[in-house]
Amino acid sequence: MPSPPVGTVYDHLAAWVSAKAASGSALVRPGGWQFAALDPARSRRAAVLVLFGVRDGVNPGPAANGPGRDDLDILFLMRAASLSNHPGQVAFPGGAIDPGDADEGAAALREAHEETGLDPAGVEIVGMLPEVGLPVSNFLVTPVVAWWTEQSPVHAVDAAESEAVFRCPVALLLDPAHRRTAVVRRNGFVSRTPAFITPDAVIWGFTALLLDAMFDGLGWTVPWDRSQEIPAPL
């Protein structure tokens, strides 16, 4: 599918990403949810792909209007339970930036191809958001926002890395009925992050924080009851 025309949700997304990148302001302010402190001197750089696509079987309406927000979905993967960092958690495709990567976008596309099998030629980079610290694994992560112009099949390429790959509708993620606050209690410390209940998994932690911040920034968030808490699915 070609890129949507001017005046669509694509343009709204692109304008917000550009403005956010230019502002230099933090995307996420995690507060006390982390169990560790980020060490900038030792931190590694990573990139994740936040990939928006038009849902399978959706007719986005007249070409002049293009797809709307509720016509979209986002690509996720579930990390393998055997991994040392963030085992079993839902994440965006992505990983560490290698010396051979031209930039964060190239790194995110390479990792997404290796993890999900998607064809990078069918992905358009919309822009890159400010880095977000992930102290638990000591990464500085650049969210790379992208649009799936020519969709390709995806699957969990390496079972040692990913247990599943799935696409979740934006409308479901925004539905207050699918939103919760995930709570972790560990050694007397309590942390809370947004959570999204999906048919495939519970999205919480770092990925949920990014989603929550993006939806707020885009003006898409529907008010939801943050007092509804669930244990984080560790």
Side-chain angles (χ1 to χ4, degrees), residues 18-222:
S18 177
K20 190 64 181 178
S23 73
S25 61
L27 175 64
V28 176
R29 301 183 184 278
W33 75 276
Q34 296 280 14
F35 293 106
L38 185 73
D39 180 358
R42 297 176 56 250
S43 63
R44 297 170 291 170
R45 296 179 61 242
V48 296
L49 189 70
V50 185
L51 181 58
F52 290 86
V54 177
R55 293 162 49 202
D56 288 341
V58 167
N59 180 359
N65 298 326
R69 181 190 72 188
D70 291 345
D71 297 322
L72 306 180
D73 59 22
I74 301 175
L75 180 66
F76 298 97
L77 59 82
M78 181 180 290
R79 293 170 56 82
S82 58
L83 293 175
S84 56
N85 288 326
H86 317 290
Q89 290 190 25
V90 176
F92 297 112
I97 298 174
D98 288 347
D101 293 323
D103 56 18
E104 296 89 343
L109 285 175
R110 174 184 54 77
E111 287 281 348
H113 172 68
E114 293 173 0
E115 293 172 332
T116 74
L118 69 77
D119 182 359
V123 176
E124 176 187 339
I125 300 297
V126 175
M128 303 176 196
L129 293 169
E131 286 183 325
V132 181
L134 181 52
V136 171
S137 48
N138 212 34
F139 273 109
L140 282 170
V141 182
T142 297
V144 178
V145 181
W147 190 270
W148 216 344
T149 56
E150 295 289 342
Q151 297 182 16
S152 52
V154 290
H155 65 285
V157 173
D158 185 353
E161 295 287 335
S162 306
E163 293 184 4
V165 170
F166 64 96
R167 298 166 63 171
C168 186
V170 168
L172 184 146
L173 295 169
L174 294 175
D175 185 347
H178 292 269
R179 302 210 58 178
R180 300 288 189 277
T181 296
V183 183
V184 178
R185 291 180 169 84
R186 184 181 298 165
N187 300 324
F189 183 87
V190 180
S191 71
R192 292 175 170 83
T193 74
F196 300 81
I197 311 296
T198 83
D200 296 278
V202 176
I203 303 172
W204 69 285
F206 183 76
T207 302
L209 281 165
L210 290 185
L211 276 178
D212 183 68
M214 286 190 61
F215 290 158
D216 280 354
L218 288 162
W220 291 0
T221 299
V222 179

Side-chain angles (χ1 to χ4, degrees), residues 3-21:
S3 296
V6 174
T8 65
V9 68
Y10 171 92
D11 297 283
H12 175 58
L13 181 66
W16 177 75
V17 171
S18 177
K20 190 64 181 178

